[in-house]
Amino acid sequence: MPASRHQCEFLLLKYVPDPVRNEFVHVGVILREMGEDGRPGAVASVKFTSDWRRVRCLDPDADVGMLEGLESELRRRFEAERSGEEIGRRGLMHVLEDSFSNSVQVTRAKAYLAESVDAGVEELMRMYVETPKREKVSRMSGRAAIQLTMRTEFERAGVWDLMRKRVRAAEYTRVGDPLRIDLAYRSGVGGASGVSGVSSLVRMFQAVSLDGGLGVEAAKGLAFSAESLRSGVERVDQGLLELTAIVEPVRQGTGNREQGTGRRGAAAEASEDELDSEWAESYRFAVETMEEHSIRVLTTADLGRVAETARREMAL
C-alpha cells in the first residue's frame, strides 16, 4: 500500500532586491503540517538554498550572510513554537520585515500533500528553488564549491545555524576593510591558554580557491589581514584567533592531514610529474604564504573532522 501522506501548506520565500521592478529569485521554502482543525500545526520546516549564484546574478550586492542568518532565525522561531510559543503567519511576516524590509517576501500559502515534512521540503526545494543538478555539476567550482562543502559538513554536524556568517573584518581591523570572513564561532577552550585577559578561542574559516589565476592573490590578501584580525579579536572579543583557510586538495584522493598542510603544504603530497609545474609552484607558494602568517591551511577533505570538532566545542 502507498504510504499515507500528510496534509500540509507551503510558502515560498523570494528575494526581491527592487520591489518596484518586482524581479525576484526563490531562495527558500517553509512547509507546515496542518492540524485536524485546518490550522497550521507545530511541525514545520524551513530551508534556504545553499547556492547563491542566482541571487548574486540578480543582485551582485546581495548580503548573503544576512540571508543565511534569516534562515537560522526562522528555524529558531519554529523550534520555539514547538515548545509552546506562537509564531503564526503574522509573526513570520514580522521576522521578515525586521530583517529585510520588503526585499524578502513570502508567497501565499498553498496546500501540499507530503510523505513527511522533511521529505516535502526537499521535494519543494527541487521544484521551485534549486538550480538543476546537471548545471551545478558543470558550473560550481572555485570558492563557491569550497563554500558549499563547508556548509554541507557543518550542517551535517548540526552547527551551521550556530555559526556567524560573512563576518565583517572591519569589526576587528579598521573602517573600510572590505574583507568578509565566511564562518566563525567562539570556542570555550581558550581559557586554558594561560594568556592574561583571554577567555576563549575564536575560530574563523575562509574559503580560498587556489584553482585559478586569482588564488595566489586571495591567499596573499588573507595573509595580509591575519595579524590585524588577530589583534582585533583579542581587543574586541578578549579571545585568541585561530584563522583557517580551506583550499582544494591537490588532486582527488588526497588524504586528510591532522594539522594543516605542513611546510611545503599539500602540493608536496603529489609527485611533481603529475601536476603542471607552474600551477604546483603557485599552489605551494599560496599555502606557504598563509602558513608563514600563522594561518592554518586545510583542504575540503578535512572539513568532516573540523565540523565534528565544532560540534564538540559547542557541546551539542
Side-chain angles (χ1 to χ4, degrees):
M1 293 181 62
S4 61
R5 301 179 76 88
H6 301 269
Q7 184 68 45
C8 302
E9 70 170 19
F10 76 93
L11 306 92
L12 298 174
L13 292 160
K14 56 186 184 179
Y15 180 65
V16 190
D18 186 346
V20 175
R21 299 180 66 179
N22 199 33
E23 296 176 335
F24 66 88
V25 173
H26 287 135
V27 296
V29 171
I30 296 172
L31 183 63
R32 306 184 67 168
E33 189 170 357
M34 303 298 290
E36 294 182 0
D37 59 358
R39 299 179 61 188
V43 179
S45 183
V46 57
K47 185 169 184 178
F48 279 36
T49 184
S50 58
D51 179 0
W52 299 102
R53 288 175 297 168
R54 294 172 64 197
V55 169
R56 291 193 174 104
C57 183
L58 180 63
D59 178 13
D61 297 323
D63 192 335
V64 171
M66 287 289 289
L67 288 166
E68 291 173 333
L70 175 61
E71 178 184 16
S72 299
E73 174 63 14
L74 289 174
R75 286 180 178 172
R76 188 190 69 77
R77 293 294 184 100
F78 283 127
E79 285 297 323
E81 186 181 60
R82 291 183 186 181
S83 302
E85 297 181 19
E86 184 81 21
I87 181 172
R89 185 175 173 82
R90 292 187 64 185
L92 172 63
M93 294 300 296
H94 183 69
V95 173
L96 296 177
E97 289 169 0
D98 277 357
S99 302
F100 283 93
S101 185
N102 289 322
S103 61
V104 175
Q105 300 176 8
V106 61
T107 63
R108 291 176 178 269
K110 294 183 179 180
Y112 184 76
L113 290 174
E115 293 183 7
S116 68
V117 171
D118 290 340
V121 163
E122 295 299 331
E123 185 174 7
L124 290 166
M125 287 290 292
R126 289 193 295 271
M127 291 171 58
Y128 292 101
V129 180
E130 297 291 12
T131 305
K133 192 170 185 180
R134 60 180 178 274
E135 183 179 348
K136 277 190 177 182
V137 171
S138 62
R139 294 179 60 189
M140 182 73 75
S141 62
R143 225 175 86 80
I146 298 174
Q147 289 173 321
L148 179 59
T149 305
M150 290 167 65
R151 173 166 184 159
T152 298
E153 293 298 337
F154 285 118
E155 279 189 329
R156 183 176 292 125
V159 299
W160 174 258
D161 289 338
L162 303 178
M163 303 180 78
R164 297 177 65 194
K165 288 99 175 171
R166 299 272 296 164
V167 180
R168 295 174 61 251
E171 295 178 19
Y172 300 101
T173 56
R174 62 180 182 177
V175 175
D177 190 338
L179 178 66
R180 296 245 183 178
I181 299 298
D182 292 321
L183 294 171
Y185 74 91
R186 182 190 291 268
S187 164
V189 302
S193 65
V195 179
S196 176
V198 171
S199 60
S200 64
L201 177 67
V202 176
R203 299 191 192 272
M204 292 185 177
F205 303 90
Q206 184 76 346
V208 179
S209 175
L210 304 182
D211 187 17
L214 298 178
V216 170
E217 294 303 318
K220 289 169 65 177
L222 188 62
F224 174 82
S225 300
E227 187 56 39
S228 295
L229 283 168
R230 200 167 288 114
S231 298
V233 166
E234 187 171 345
R235 182 182 69 256
V236 176
D237 293 339
Q238 289 77 54
L240 293 174
L241 172 64
E242 180 184 76
L243 179 58
T244 300
I246 306 296
V247 303
E248 303 94 342
V250 168
R251 68 181 194 280
Q252 294 299 317
T254 297
N256 289 1
R257 293 173 305 285
E258 287 302 314
Q259 294 293 332
T261 58
R263 185 59 59 191
R264 286 181 57 82
E269 297 178 7
S271 58
E272 292 291 334
D273 58 0
E274 294 179 9
L275 300 166
D276 175 83
S277 60
E278 183 177 348
W279 181 87
E281 289 172 0
S282 295
Y283 188 101
R284 184 186 303 117
F285 174 82
V287 169
E288 291 182 351
T289 297
M290 290 187 286
E291 290 181 335
E292 286 168 0
H293 288 78
S294 300
I295 299 172
R296 187 172 68 150
V297 183
L298 301 176
T299 77
T300 50
D302 298 307
L303 280 169
R305 173 174 56 81
V306 171
E308 179 59 24
T309 297
R311 186 190 66 79
R312 290 197 306 271
E313 291 182 345
M314 295 184 192
L316 296 180

